[in-house]
Amino acid sequence: MAISIAISNSIGARDNAPSGGFVWVNAEAEAYYNAVTVANGSDVDTVALYGQTLDDTKQAIDTRVTDLKASGVFTKLVRDYPFFGGTADTHAINGMNAATELLYFGSPTHTNLGLVTNGAGQYASMNNSLSSEVPSSSDWAIGLDTNSANSKIMMGSRDSTSIGAVIRYRLSTLIGYATNKAVRSAVAIPSITDSFVVLSQDGSTTAIIYSDGVQEAQHTLSSGAVPTTQPLFINAWNNSGGVIDAVSGSTKFSFVSSGLSSVEVGSLNTINNAFQTFLGR
């Protein structure tokens, strides 16, 4: 049965704004922006950062949530980091609960491009394990959108028993694995410099890795495997407390969710692309 998802193309348009100001449609989007404003100390200077008016930017944030809800992805998200606002404090806010839930190590830079790391030990930590975030051991997804300067894209963690959830791109190979490093997906991709990569186990024993909404590889896991108990890293991966494969580049978006289907991954890719295009990155 074919499933179609209607994705709005109205990011930046103020169709619902009466004369004199913008009106939020989604309470979750409004709560997120308000938390960003508090963290920033004032409204974000969206003209300086993104070349967009404040009202148009609020509309883009609101439309993003509208589209996430229409796609079915919103209710599955646990962590949502749009890396909006250009500062460490604004980038740390989880869009799902408007709370600060991200830690930084090595003093990464924060700009209009998002979270920027230098490949020499800078990274972000979600300060919690995948096993604590998701509903079951076979129902989870992680992902990030990175513009890499050192041909690496990294996210995830592995604990001392080698149980992990890791996205790794290096040496022209994209790897996704769960359960252990010997059971994994690997596909040769000559060059990734700017890509949205997702690793998802959608309530089955199969983990699938996607690049820009397209399935690249999959592998079968042991039934009942428990996701990693180590905190998830962004722009590096956590090897039982050790920092591995630090990334030089900027990450524009990262998330944790319940398992996403291939249709949902494609929808999330489209929604993310629209928002990033609006922000000029």
Side-chain angles (χ1 to χ4, degrees):
M1 178 179 68
I3 299 176
S4 61
I5 300 288
I7 302 298
S8 168
N9 292 315
S10 62
I11 280 190
R14 284 179 284 165
D15 298 333
N16 69 332
S19 58
F22 167 79
V23 175
W24 293 98
V25 172
N26 296 285
E28 301 91 344
E30 182 178 11
Y32 168 71
Y33 181 78
N34 288 342
V36 168
T37 299
V38 171
N40 194 54
S42 64
D43 278 313
V44 174
D45 189 347
T46 58
V47 173
L49 282 175
Y50 308 112
Q52 302 286 357
T53 68
L54 180 59
D55 275 2
D56 281 353
T57 304
K58 289 180 179 179
Q59 179 65 71
I61 294 169
D62 205 35
T63 299
R64 177 180 182 269
V65 172
T66 295
D67 290 345
L68 286 170
K69 289 180 177 179
S71 70
V73 172
F74 187 81
T75 56
K76 293 188 172 185
L77 287 168
V78 178
R79 299 288 188 107
D80 172 27
Y81 295 104
F83 293 122
F84 165 78
T87 70
D89 289 340
T90 59
H91 289 171
I93 296 172
N94 178 3
M96 297 311 297
N97 60 9
T100 299
E101 294 187 340
L102 205 61
L103 300 178
Y104 306 113
F105 294 86
S107 300
T109 304
H110 299 269
T111 73
N112 62 312
L113 299 178
L115 169 70
V116 183
T117 53
N118 63 6
Q122 295 180 340
Y123 64 97
S125 171
M126 293 193 182
N127 198 34
N128 203 3
S129 67
L130 183 60
S131 59
S132 299
E133 297 275 350
V134 296
S136 80
S137 61
S138 61
D139 189 10
W140 56 269
I142 61 174
L144 73 171
D145 184 359
T146 298
N147 191 340
S148 176
N150 66 347
S151 297
K152 292 181 180 179
I153 295 176
M154 303 289 168
M155 179 182 180
S157 65
R158 185 176 75 198
D159 62 28
S160 58
T161 58
S162 293
I163 294 173
V166 179
I167 291 170
R168 298 175 65 189
Y169 177 77
R170 64 172 186 164
L171 302 176
S172 299
T173 301
L174 179 62
I175 297 174
Y177 70 77
T179 305
N180 62 68
K181 64 181 179 179
V183 183
R184 64 187 186 181
S185 300
V187 57
I189 300 179
S191 178
I192 290 181
T193 56
D194 188 0
S195 188
F196 177 45
V197 183
V198 174
L199 179 64
S200 177
Q201 186 181 0
D202 183 21
S204 69
T205 57
T206 301
I208 302 174
I209 193 160
Y210 303 83
S211 175
D212 295 324
V214 177
Q215 180 176 329
E216 300 288 0
Q218 68 180 53
H219 62 284
T220 301
L221 309 173
S222 301
S223 177
V226 178
T228 172
T229 57
Q230 286 285 322
L232 295 164
F233 290 175
I234 302 170
N235 282 14
W237 65 278
N238 179 355
N239 186 13
S240 192
V243 182
I244 304 295
D245 289 325
V247 172
S248 174
S250 57
T251 291
K252 300 169 277 188
F253 167 53
S254 187
F255 77 92
V256 174
S257 72
S258 300
L260 300 179
S261 69
S262 59
V263 171
E264 289 168 336
V265 171
S267 296
L268 181 56
N269 180 65
T270 299
I271 295 163
N272 178 58
N273 280 344
F275 188 63
Q276 301 305 336
T277 298
F278 173 82
L279 296 179
R281 58 188 193 184

